[in-house]
Amino acid sequence: MPSFRYILLWMLACFCVLTEARSQGLMIRNYNVKDGLANATVYAAEQDKNGFIWFATPTGVSKFDGKRFRNYSKKDGLTDNDVVKLAADSKGRVWFFTLNGKPSFYLNSVIHNEDNDSSLTFNSHSHYLQYAFDGGPKSGYVWFLNSNNRILQYTGKQFTYDKLGNSGSDIYFLLKNDSIFKPLQTSYALESLKDPNNAGQRIITVCPYPLEDAAFQERIKKHAITILRNTLYSFTKKDAICFFNGAEWGIREDISNICIDNDNLWVGTQRALYLVKNFFKGEKKVTRLLENHYITSLLKDRDGNIWITTFGDGVYYIPYKNFYFSYLDNTNGLYSHSIFSIYKDKKTDLLLIGQNAGILNTIDAQGSIRQFTLDTTSGRNSVLQILPEKENSVLIATDNALFQFNTLSQKSKLLKSVKMLKDVDISPSGKIRIAAKNQVIALDDYAISDLDMLVTSIASVDDSTYFVGTNNGLYFCSDNSKQLMRPGNNTHLKQSIKDLKWINGYLWIGTSDQGIYVMHHDSVVKHLSTSIGLASDICQQLYYDGVGQLYVATNKGVSVIDVNKQEIVRNITSNDGLMSDDIRGVFYDDGLLYIATSNGLCYFKGNNLPVDSVPPVIYLSNIRYGDSTFLPSKDFVYLFQRKASFEAEFGTIVFDLPEQVEYQYNFSGDSTTGWVTTMSNIIPFPDLQPGTYKLMVRARKYKSDWSQPLSVNINILPRWYQQWWARGILFLLGLLLILIILRYIVRRIKQSEKRKTEYNRRIAELEAKALTNQMNPHFIFNSLNSVQHLILEKEEKQALNFLADFATLMRQMLNNSRKSYLSLEEEIAFLTRYLELEKIRFAHSFTYKFIMEDKLKDYTIYIPPMIIQPIVENAIKHGLAPKNSSGYLEIRLEMVDDLLYCSVDDDGIGWDKSNALKSNRLVKHESTALSVIKERLQIIKSFNGSVGKLEIIDKFKSGFGNKEGTLVEILIPIVKML
């Protein structure tokens, strides 16, 4: 909200009359650069078709809605920043005049120039546009006169230079044909009124008509007004008639511009602003305002507000409603701006105004102001109260004394000195009672002193009884008892009281912070507070006008109450035109209401208070979506952006009390419900999802109804993946994928369970087979025969050792057969013990050797048990045992990738010869043992994925030279640990 400088500028003197008249002040607001104006120097002001006020400055143009300035410069489309004049045509265009000769205008939120609008391209011949005339809404033409006296025509499609040729080439031609060329400015400053092409035109320098003449007024307001130095003429083809001579009104400087406001005439010069109030009613009073201000233009807007642009001092604004008010303070005759009391004597028409410092101002019927110093004591000495006593006499109460003042002789008389006087009242027969600090005084009778409370007010019921208001409640007293008593025991009557009024049998009690209580027969019958419309609960004074209305002065304005209905009629505040909301006193006189404030005295026709109830014009300023800003449009279509915020910025064109504007918006499209009220003009919708929406916004200003809603259709388009068909496909694909995954998982679980079951079954079966086939029955039989032989040969010790090793081997074999994996060290130890027994059994007919790769020693290797032993057993029994000479057996262990490579190499008779010598039983045993090993390797592969291998090689047959024997190679799946 722009901050306003409130300046009180007062009428100084009437130059045409000898008698000084009572002055009337005007409350003027100033807008400047700090409020958002583009420059403090403003050349011109114009109102467009929508209601915005435009200002032309050296640094661009400003568009104003009453609350915010929107500035435009060359970067926004102006042809030059130095804009010297404005014109608004009937098509809603606002034209900008610059000295470079290139035209531009604003329409539909865009500044049009020759770069973006080819219709504005033309050869200006280095001359600039000076004046604009409208051809009317039907034609759509705009006419211009440039600095070379050439007339240009703009049709909306093109500019035509020197359109009329020699038939019309100056300002006089356009002005005298104003029925065709409608002026787009109020007045024209000319060097001469003599039209060289109109010899028959008369120039009348003295007004031949009285200004009250209706026909002459119509002529002045209808035709062009020309300015010749400090005189004003009504200009037509037939004649130019002077209707205002500045010299006759005390205006010596040249007139720069004028404005006609109903019956008032505003005149601007390079030195000041002049107001001739009721000029067209024949009044002869002029007021000089804005002293030492260079007035560059004057504008009356559609609401009746007056705009004054200045050279270097910004823009001044006078609200239309301020013309209904009159103001008095220290700038136009009073001692100070702080007013405490007011009274008007009906007989003498003398206005008495009580101020601080003990000053009493009087203003007579002729407007003459006098000052009297009544209270000269130090400290507080304000004139608190003025009330009638008898004919031609009033009582004046100050902080320290009570005076009698004669309204005819205007002389005062001290009645009684009273410290900290608070209130005075007069009984029906004229008995004077005083409330002061901690005492009640009946003048010339008695005093009730040394009370333990602060007495604030007093109200007489009759000549002998009265009520007293104090800081701890209400009391009743009579001249007979001379004692303060409580009127009943109502707790509401124990509030701190500021003022009392006895009206028609009812006591009206104004409190310090609880509003007003109405008492009848010692009972409270009504309570009025802010909850039901009182301006404030802090009551400073009660004033009864004698005709049915009670005025309550508060710290937030005046409340008017109908005493018969005991209802609040209305409130009057600074929003309505008062100089301040801090009200000290009220006085009513024949329809004229005087209100004393801490900032001056305001008086006006009490029943003619202006109320602007017309709803405001609401407009869409811009739309923001994500990081982009868009021009205002009633239809907004955009592709969805993730986590993007949608914002609509609105505004209203309200020049009076713009800060009081309220907004309501509705996003549901329902115009009856769902309205959200806000004071902000920005409506945000974060993370707006794709869809079609309807945003409706309405506004209302102070004491107006809601405006018609402004609607914006919003369509946020979904991305391809947000379309219904895409979402359907994605849903189906997702569902299908879930089903496939679930099917796969279930299948894997079933297969795993099946494999585990089969594996466990096969392991149990193979373990049983391995247990029965681990050792050849012949080994056991032969081992026992060897023990028998050793016993017969009397070698009992060797036989016992053999049996002990054989028993250990059998236990170790049984223990290993229960394990799924066995460490490589345990396997080698088992094989070594087995080979040692076999050597004894075969009388040391062979030797053996283990060869182990070094890197096997770095890990702990685990292998399935009883894989290598059957192969070693076959090598001894079928390869080395049938051999006639001593044999050799080599067992080699190596790492190949993640498998253990094991080779069992013997130099026996070979695989083929061994097979020829075997009996059927032996073949069956051997085939069963080897097939068990192969099947175990296959089961291990299917369970954990490791691939095992078993291969038997006859060395003589397989190309090992002349070597005989058998080589068996096996790849065993292992578990490796550090």
Side-chain angles (χ1 to χ4, degrees):
M1 175 184 113
S3 59
F4 301 126
R5 281 189 301 172
Y6 289 90
I7 304 175
L8 295 176
L9 302 167
W10 308 103
M11 297 181 177
L12 300 178
C14 181
F15 297 106
C16 301
V17 294
L18 296 176
T19 306
E20 183 184 21
R22 184 185 303 172
S23 300
Q24 173 190 347
L26 287 175
M27 190 177 292
I28 303 179
R29 301 176 183 177
N30 177 253
Y31 295 96
N32 220 306
V33 176
K34 65 181 178 59
D35 302 308
L37 190 65
N39 198 293
T41 293
V42 184
Y43 298 129
E46 189 64 75
Q47 186 172 31
D48 67 14
K49 193 173 184 179
N50 294 322
F52 292 101
I53 305 293
W54 292 80
F55 301 104
T57 79
T59 53
V61 294
S62 295
K63 182 178 72 171
F64 188 48
D65 64 1
K67 193 172 186 179
R68 298 172 183 84
F69 287 92
R70 168 69 166 93
N71 296 324
Y72 299 86
S73 61
K74 198 170 181 179
K75 65 181 178 61
D76 300 302
L78 293 180
T79 60
D80 189 21
N81 284 336
D82 192 4
V83 180
V84 297
K85 190 177 288 188
L86 301 167
D89 65 23
S90 58
K91 289 294 185 180
R93 294 173 291 226
V94 178
W95 292 88
F96 309 118
F97 292 67
T98 59
L99 298 181
N100 62 9
K102 296 180 179 181
S104 60
F105 65 83
Y106 177 91
L107 182 67
N108 297 330
S109 304
V110 176
I111 294 180
H112 297 250
N113 55 45
E114 62 181 2
D115 296 329
N116 59 19
D117 191 338
S118 60
S119 68
L120 297 176
T121 303
F122 78 104
N123 185 2
S124 65
H125 299 280
S126 301
H127 294 285
Y128 58 88
L129 304 179
Q130 280 188 302
Y131 303 106
F133 295 82
D134 198 283
K138 292 184 179 180
S139 69
Y141 298 162
V142 183
W143 302 87
F144 298 92
L145 181 69
N146 72 1
S147 55
N148 194 34
N149 275 335
R150 291 294 184 267
I151 295 177
L152 295 79
Q153 182 195 57
Y154 179 71
T155 64
K157 296 182 179 180
Q158 66 174 5
F159 252 100
T160 303
Y161 188 85
D162 204 11
K163 174 67 176 177
L164 301 181
N166 294 328
S167 62
S169 59
D170 56 23
I171 185 65
Y172 301 102
F173 174 81
L174 297 169
L175 291 178
K176 67 189 178 185
N177 293 287
D178 57 359
S179 61
I180 300 173
F181 309 103
K182 301 184 183 304
L184 290 180
Q185 62 187 72
T186 56
S187 60
Y188 296 83
L190 303 178
E191 294 295 327
S192 171
L193 291 177
K194 187 64 178 176
D195 182 359
N197 298 316
N198 187 11
Q201 184 187 38
R202 294 189 306 158
I203 300 175
I204 304 172
T205 58
V206 178
C207 179
Y209 309 100
L211 290 174
E212 301 96 307
D213 184 83
F216 186 49
Q217 289 185 24
E218 181 67 19
R219 169 193 165 119
I220 293 173
K221 296 176 181 179
K222 180 178 180 181
H223 296 283
I225 296 173
T226 57
I227 303 172
L228 185 64
R229 290 177 289 280
N230 68 344
T231 55
L232 304 178
Y233 288 82
S234 174
F235 190 95
T236 67
K237 184 177 182 179
K238 180 180 178 181
D239 51 30
I241 302 175
C242 176
F243 66 89
F244 182 84
N245 188 324
E248 296 176 358
W249 295 79
I251 302 175
R252 304 301 176 186
E253 60 268 26
D254 287 352
I255 297 173
S256 58
N257 41 73
I258 64 106
C259 176
I260 295 176
D261 169 27
N262 299 323
D263 293 322
N264 305 321
L265 177 65
W266 297 82
V267 177
T269 73
Q270 296 181 9
R271 294 287 184 88
L273 173 68
Y274 297 89
L275 169 60
V276 186
K277 192 171 179 64
N278 293 322
F279 173 75
F280 290 103
K281 289 185 177 180
E283 291 192 16
K284 298 289 185 178
K285 292 185 290 187
V286 64
T287 304
R288 184 181 174 103
L289 305 170
L290 296 177
E291 187 77 31
N292 297 322
H293 284 68
Y294 186 152
I295 310 301
T296 56
S297 74
L298 296 168
L299 171 69
K300 176 188 175 183
D301 67 21
R302 295 169 201 161
D303 296 329
N305 307 306
I306 302 297
W307 300 86
I308 306 112
T309 64
T310 67
F311 194 94
D313 292 295
V315 176
Y316 290 92
Y317 162 69
I318 304 176
Y320 77 96
K321 68 184 181 184
N322 284 358
F323 297 107
Y324 293 84
F325 295 86
S326 296
Y327 304 98
L328 286 171
D329 71 353
N330 57 324
T331 64
N332 59 343
L334 299 186
Y335 171 76
S336 72
H337 63 269
S338 185
I339 314 295
F340 285 90
S341 54
I342 182 78
Y343 175 77
K344 187 175 183 181
D345 183 63
K346 293 183 180 294
K347 183 177 180 180
T348 60
D349 202 23
L350 186 69
L351 185 67
L352 292 87
I353 303 170
Q355 299 198 260
N356 57 344
I359 300 298
L360 175 70
N361 292 273
T362 64
I363 305 177
D364 61 21
Q366 288 72 39
S368 298
I369 300 177
R370 297 179 64 183
Q371 289 182 359
F372 301 90
T373 302
L374 300 180
D375 190 348
T376 59
T377 57
S378 60
R380 289 186 55 182
N381 54 351
S382 304
V383 177
L384 299 176
Q385 194 174 5
I386 307 172
L387 67 162
E389 181 192 17
K390 50 191 174 183
E391 188 176 3
N392 302 327
S393 176
V394 296
L395 293 180
I396 299 177
T398 71
D399 278 312
N400 302 290
L402 179 65
F403 295 87
Q404 188 180 61
F405 186 82
N406 189 289
T407 56
L408 287 178
S409 64
Q410 297 194 29
K411 292 183 178 180
S412 62
K413 173 186 175 183
L414 177 64
L415 293 181
K416 188 175 182 63
S417 294
V418 182
K419 290 295 183 182
M420 296 185 66
L421 189 150
K422 296 296 181 182
D423 192 18
V424 177
D425 191 38
I426 303 177
S427 72
S429 66
K431 198 167 189 176
I432 300 172
R433 297 186 175 94
I434 303 171
K437 195 180 179 181
N438 62 345
Q439 60 179 331
V440 176
I441 301 173
L443 194 64
D444 301 326
D445 191 355
Y446 64 91
I448 305 173
S449 304
D450 299 327
L451 298 173
D452 58 351
M453 64 191 81
L454 179 64
V455 180
T456 59
S457 55
I458 192 165
S460 296
V461 176
D462 51 38
D463 289 333
S464 61
T465 58
Y466 53 92
F467 285 98
V468 178
T470 72
N471 65 333
N472 66 357
L474 180 69
Y475 290 87
F476 176 79
C477 188
S478 69
D479 291 338
N480 295 327
S481 65
K482 299 182 179 59
Q483 290 184 351
L484 301 186
M485 298 176 292
R486 291 278 189 186
N489 197 28
N490 194 316
T491 56
H492 297 302
L493 302 180
K494 295 181 180 180
Q495 306 287 341
S496 177
I497 295 173
K498 291 289 289 185
D499 201 7
L500 299 172
K501 275 292 175 289
W502 178 263
I503 305 172
N504 301 329
Y506 290 83
L507 182 66
W508 294 75
I509 306 167
T511 67
S512 297
D513 57 4
Q514 297 296 320
I516 293 177
Y517 290 96
V518 184
M519 190 181 78
H520 186 59
H521 297 313
D522 295 341
S523 298
V524 174
V525 297
K526 190 78 171 183
H527 180 210
L528 303 175
S529 65
T530 54
S531 63
I532 59 173
L534 196 68
S536 172
D537 286 332
I538 301 175
C539 302
Q540 302 191 137
Q541 189 202 57
L542 302 180
Y543 170 75
Y544 180 57
D545 63 3
V547 292
Q549 288 191 326
L550 178 71
Y551 296 85
V552 184
T554 76
N555 65 324
K556 293 184 179 179
V558 177
S559 289
V560 184
I561 299 175
D562 186 321
V563 296
N564 297 319
K565 297 180 180 178
Q566 297 181 1
E567 294 177 352
I568 299 170
V569 176
R570 59 174 173 167
N571 292 321
I572 306 172
T573 69
S574 58
N575 291 334
D576 301 299
L578 298 184
M579 304 166 76
S580 171
D581 283 327
D582 185 15
I583 311 301
R584 266 71 175 286
V586 181
F587 186 82
Y588 179 82
D589 176 48
D590 292 334
L592 201 62
L593 188 63
Y594 295 85
I595 298 179
T597 78
S598 59
N599 201 36
L601 177 66
C602 176
Y603 55 99
F604 55 94
K605 291 287 185 180
N607 295 325
N608 196 27
L609 193 66
V611 178
D612 184 7
S613 59
V614 179
V617 176
I618 185 170
Y619 66 92
L620 177 62
S621 179
N622 58 63
I623 292 175
R624 287 185 287 272
Y625 187 59
D627 297 327
S628 303
T629 301
F630 303 89
L631 290 175
S633 173
K634 291 189 176 182
D635 295 289
F636 178 79
V637 181
Y638 203 78
L639 196 63
F640 171 76
Q641 292 184 9
R642 187 170 174 267
K643 293 185 178 179
S645 177
F646 176 89
E647 288 185 352
E649 183 175 351
F650 293 84
T652 53
I653 304 175
V654 177
F655 301 114
D656 185 38
L657 305 175
E659 66 279 0
Q660 298 290 329
V661 173
E662 288 183 295
Y663 294 92
Q664 280 190 341
Y665 65 91
N666 187 314
F667 208 55
S668 64
D670 182 3
S671 61
T672 57
T673 60
W675 291 100
V676 178
T677 303
T678 179
M679 296 298 289
S680 173
N681 67 319
I682 298 177
I683 303 173
F685 297 97
D687 197 17
L688 195 61
Q689 295 301 306
T692 301
Y693 308 92
K694 186 175 183 179
L695 173 62
M696 294 187 295
V697 184
R698 62 186 184 183
R700 70 177 177 188
K701 56 189 177 184
Y702 181 66
K703 291 187 177 179
S704 83
D705 294 328
W706 290 105
S707 65
Q708 289 297 317
L710 178 64
S711 299
V712 180
N713 297 314
I714 304 166
N715 189 5
I716 304 299
L717 301 176
R719 300 277 181 175
W720 68 267
Y721 55 82
Q722 293 175 313
Q723 301 281 0
W724 66 268
W725 53 267
R727 289 186 173 182
I729 291 174
L730 289 175
F731 176 76
L732 292 176
L733 289 175
L735 186 61
L736 182 61
L737 179 62
I738 291 172
L739 291 175
I740 291 173
I741 292 173
L742 290 175
R743 181 180 176 86
Y744 174 76
I745 292 172
V746 171
R747 188 174 180 182
R748 285 292 302 271
I749 292 173
K750 288 182 177 180
Q751 289 178 347
S752 176
E753 292 297 327
K754 185 177 180 181
R755 283 198 304 270
K756 287 181 180 179
T757 302
E758 181 64 20
Y759 174 77
N760 291 332
R761 187 186 66 80
R762 294 297 297 160
I763 287 296
E765 183 179 318
L766 290 173
E767 284 178 349
K769 291 181 179 179
L771 186 61
T772 57
N773 293 287
Q774 282 169 5
M775 303 294 292
N776 192 311
H778 287 82
F779 167 74
I780 299 173
F781 179 76
N782 291 332
S783 296
L784 295 176
N785 284 338
S786 297
V787 172
Q788 184 182 12
H789 175 74
L790 291 172
I791 293 172
L792 292 174
E793 293 294 329
K794 304 297 185 180
E795 295 181 14
E796 291 88 358
K797 184 176 181 179
Q798 189 175 358
L800 290 174
N801 290 335
F802 186 91
L803 280 174
D805 288 338
F806 178 79
T808 301
L809 181 65
M810 294 302 292
R811 280 195 304 271
Q812 190 173 0
M813 180 183 65
L814 290 173
N815 289 332
N816 292 346
S817 66
R818 296 187 182 96
K819 298 178 181 179
S820 296
Y821 284 91
L822 191 69
S823 68
L824 185 59
E825 289 82 3
E826 291 177 327
E827 182 69 13
I828 292 173
F830 172 79
L831 292 174
T832 301
R833 183 169 283 107
Y834 168 75
L835 288 170
E836 288 297 326
L837 289 176
E838 287 287 75
K839 281 178 66 177
I840 295 172
R841 197 164 64 88
F842 288 97
H844 301 281
S845 61
F846 69 93
T847 60
Y848 67 91
K849 184 178 182 182
F850 285 93
I851 300 175
M852 187 168 65
E853 188 180 27
D854 290 337
K855 67 179 182 178
L856 288 173
K857 299 175 182 179
D858 297 333
Y859 303 92
T860 300
I861 306 298
Y862 291 87
I863 63 174
M866 301 303 294
I867 294 288
I868 301 175
Q869 188 273 335
I871 298 171
V872 173
E873 183 181 352
N874 282 339
I876 295 172
K877 292 181 179 181
H878 306 296
L880 297 178
K883 186 178 179 180
N884 296 324
S885 61
S886 176
Y888 176 75
L889 178 66
E890 181 181 283
I891 303 170
R892 180 179 295 274
L893 299 170
E894 297 177 359
M895 280 288 293
V896 179
D897 295 328
D898 288 327
L899 299 172
L900 177 66
Y901 170 80
C902 178
S903 64
V904 179
D905 188 3
D906 67 73
D907 58 352
I909 63 173
W911 177 257
D912 290 340
K913 288 183 180 180
S914 174
N915 284 336
L917 294 175
K918 293 175 183 177
S919 64
N920 288 338
R921 183 179 60 80
L922 290 175
V923 171
K924 181 178 179 182
H925 168 76
E926 178 187 281
S927 299
T928 300
L930 293 178
S931 65
V932 167
I933 294 173
K934 290 179 180 180
E935 190 170 0
R936 287 187 68 190
L937 292 175
Q938 186 64 31
I939 290 173
I940 294 171
K941 173 188 174 183
S942 65
F943 186 75
N944 60 15
S946 298
V947 180
K949 178 183 177 184
L950 175 66
E951 186 176 3
I952 302 172
I953 302 170
D954 189 293
K955 290 192 291 185
F956 182 82
K957 189 177 178 180
S958 299
F960 281 78
N962 294 323
K963 292 183 179 180
E964 290 184 340
T966 303
L967 175 63
V968 180
E969 294 179 329
I970 181 171
L971 287 174
I972 306 171
I974 64 172
V975 175
K976 180 173 65 175
M977 297 181 65
L978 290 174

